[in-house]
Amino acid sequence: MTITATVLDEDMTLTVAQLCESLGLELDELIGYVQEGLVEPRGISPQTWSFPGPALKRLHTALRLRRELEIDLAGTILAVELLEEIEHLRARVHALELLLGEAR
Amino acid sequence: MQYKDYYKIMGLTRDSNADAIKRAYRKLARKYHPDVSKEPQAEERFKELGEAYEVLRDPQKRAAYDHLGSTWQPGQEFTPPPDWQTEGFGFNRSTAAGGATANHFSDFFETLFGHAFHARPDASGTGARVRGQDQRAKVAISLDDAYRGTTHVIQVAVAEADATGNRGTRNHTLQVRIPSGIVQGQQIRLAGQGSPGMGGGPRGDLYLEVQLQPHPYFEAEGRDIYLNLPLTPWEAALGAQLTVPTLGGKVEVKIPAGSQAGQKLRLKGRGLGGKTPGDQYIVLQIVAPPALTPAAREAYERMSQELQFNPRSHMGV
């Protein structure tokens, strides 16, 4: 049997319930991350919020870092943003190395 | 079952105090945290570290562990002492249906301390209908497969609890249809392929994070694709109509006359798909043919006489 995968891209929508259930997250915690700007919901109140697919990965990374490295909310969000920036820069470096012929 | 040297894992000695243990944990956790670390086997090291810390941070568990003695070598075949259960440490195996988690500890830990210590309290023994936990794994796919979409057979270790609540992992083979246009680091969800639920609860989901494998000549940056395209000096100078590879197949590209190395040409919409597909960038590179034959040497000499060209004039030399 072949299982079809759903891509968690920007067009995909996750509800508050789905996010909280998947991550074992309380609504209050989710609101905290939203207030700090880690993830941006569509909709005006927590009752009607929905999130784009990539929010799940961001929140998952944040929760792991916070729990496992014992860092506070602001520090966690800074770490997630810096990690994403590093990932982006790393992809750029790879592309540039290729263009300079170093990858060969 | 193999003996684990928790002190060695944490780089500590047996007389380290609680502060030293905490410091060592913090430091190594930052070093090996799978979200942060680029070390090989970071995931494994981090797990091992978590287990070591779980034991050494807890005076009761640490005392019990120390009681095994210091003559064991890491990896040595280990059987618990016969008096283990009666030592009064109280680590009898729990039979509560502990929540299955992917982060289970080693057999060594389980044998010594059972799983009552890290079972999720919310899920144990209540008989409640609980949805299974979501699982996460990584999957490596080629750029070509990412572009076209693919059916991939993957093996995932699914954590499960049997009827008596004993935990274990089972290798599970799944055939997965991955849609086209996936990009590096993106997650895909396989509904109902995570850990089984309890009390009749549904299974959790399985999330796979996509890692794109390196390609011999394409490089992906998000949805955009970069290709280094070598040209001869005359193709660059005179312009040319060339066949160029893209992920979707070969295309004809017009190289304008007077092109220089480093210039970029954009093939719109030829990158990785999605609602807004990326572009393919062709970066021009000029390759000088070697002057190996008298005729080739003659051609270069004629160029040097006829083309008044100093590429270093801007340096004032």
Side-chain angles (χ1 to χ4, degrees), chain A residues 3 6 22 57 68 70, chain B residues 26 33 134 175 177 185 189:
Chain A
I3 309 147
T6 312
S22 178
K57 187 182 160 187
E68 293 168 353
E70 300 171 10
Chain B
R26 289 268 176 98
H33 195 279
D134 289 346
Q175 194 169 320
R177 174 84 209 141
R189 181 175 65 190

Side-chain angles (χ1 to χ4, degrees), chain B residues 273-285:
Chain B
K275 207 171 187 179
T276 329
D279 304 326
Q280 175 168 323
Y281 289 95
I282 298 172
V283 183
L284 304 181
Q285 195 187 24

Side-chain angles (χ1 to χ4, degrees), chain A residues 45-83:
Chain A
S45 69
Q47 286 74 38
T48 58
W49 276 352
S50 70
F51 293 82
L56 184 71
K57 187 182 160 187
R58 288 197 114 189
L59 281 166
H60 182 245
T61 307
L63 291 172
R64 275 208 336 183
L65 288 172
R66 197 168 177 195
R67 190 179 61 232
E68 293 168 353
L69 299 183
E70 300 171 10
I71 38 183
D72 67 13
L73 184 60
T76 303
I77 291 167
L78 177 66
V80 172
E81 285 172 352
L82 290 175
L83 283 172

